[in-house]
Amino acid sequence: MTAKPFLTLGIETSCDETAAAVIAGGTRILSNIVTSQVDLHQRFGGVVPEIAARKHIEAIFPVIDKALKDAGAAAADIDLIAVTHGPGLIGALLVGLQAAKALAFALGKPLIGINHVEGHIYANVLAHPGLEPPFVCLTASGGHTDLLYVPEFGRYELLGRTRDDAAGEAFDKIARVLGLPYPGGPQISRLAETGDREAISFPRGLSGEDTFDFSFSGLKTFALYYINNARQSGEEINLPDFAASFQWAIVDVLATRLIRAAQFKKTRQVVLSGGVSANQSLRREVAALAEPLGISVYFPPLDLCTDNAAMIASAGYFKHQAGCSHSWDLNAVPNLRLI
Ligand code: KG4
Ligand code: ZN
């Protein structure tokens, strides 16, 4: 008889996705349920924290039930509960955290809190079970843009991070001004497919500086002026060209700095994570820069790039294996730092 696999239930509610997943061991996904509230927030042009929290309350237990059902597992079969406890929206985080605590308490199972950014990195562990540090990792999403050196799992060295907006936030804000629906990243990226990326010369923040940090506020301001000037003079903006040039300004700095960081740390592996790693142009550019240098590039499949609970479960499993767990006083921390 084969031994029952170790099952981890992951729970993620840091923003506008209510997600639960069951994984076996650290990498085998048995179920991965994501319920998005995006339609509700679209008419406000971004996530409304109060609405997000209320919708998580409605969705959390049905989503957990579905994750268990799809995995063919009963609640009592679960060996560990891993939950995002930050960073994110406080009301949203609290819903997932309280559900996780209640389940862990009732079932008598260990509880582990996971940093959402670290969860994104583990999306690559799920997708590429053979991936071993050291590597340099870019985590770029709606809330963060960090360049990290990972010498071993669970240890992080910050090489650079955004000084203002996150990369996804820049996509979302400019898409909103253009009247495109939230979230803006996929919209701009779709428009960019038929545009000329050299059409508009957008600024690259901190270029020429000896830093691995990022800055997207100058790009955002330039884009806003461009749109306002066009509107005031009655000119029509060529949306595909605008989108392609804007996207290229972001992709160019992300890809260049990531590869430069890998060379600096003398590692032959780079990893992309977070919602912006779904961007095909970013994936292509990183691959093109990496290939001649013999650097291997890893990124998750699209459904694991954006927020999900399988990545939280995977991070939880490996941290638990390393001897980590949390007590009932684990709290939600909206600005939780990985480093
Ligand atoms: O990781 P994620 O789902 O949530 C956060 O942790 O923030 O990332 C969401 C962000 C949004 O800003 C969205 O516009 C961006 O990822 N994003 C993209 C693409 N898909 C999602 N940005 C650029 N290109 C994409 N294809
Ligand atoms: Zn995320």
Side-chain angles (χ1 to χ4, degrees), residues 119-141:
H120 274 301
I121 297 171
Y122 276 83
N124 280 287
V125 176
L126 283 172
H128 313 286
L131 174 65
E132 286 290 337
F135 54 79
V136 169
C137 177
L138 171 73
T139 22
S141 72

Side-chain angles (χ1 to χ4, degrees), residues 12 14-17 87 116 120 140-144 167-172 182-190 247 273-280 302 305-308 311:
E12 153 66 43
S14 66
C15 191
D16 60 341
E17 260 98 30
H116 180 82
H120 274 301
S141 72
H144 32 263
E169 193 180 355
F171 274 110
D172 295 341
Y182 172 83
Q187 302 288 331
I188 291 191
S189 134
R190 192 179 41 77
Q247 173 176 269
S273 67
V276 178
S277 65
N279 187 282
Q280 299 296 336
L302 290 182
C305 283
T306 45
D307 290 352
N308 67 86
M311 66 187 196

Side-chain angles (χ1 to χ4, degrees), residues 139-158:
T139 22
S141 72
H144 32 263
T145 304
D146 290 351
L147 203 45
L148 303 163
Y149 177 61
V150 185
E152 59 185 78
F153 282 122
R155 272 186 56 212
Y156 304 97
E157 184 186 316
L158 183 69

Side-chain angles (χ1 to χ4, degrees), residues 303-334:
D303 61 333
L304 294 178
C305 283
T306 45
D307 290 352
N308 67 86
M311 66 187 196
I312 303 301
S314 178
Y317 172 84
F318 287 105
K319 292 202 158 279
H320 183 258
Q321 291 290 98
C324 176
S325 72
H326 287 116
S327 55
W328 303 123
D329 57 12
L330 177 70
N331 212 345
V333 185

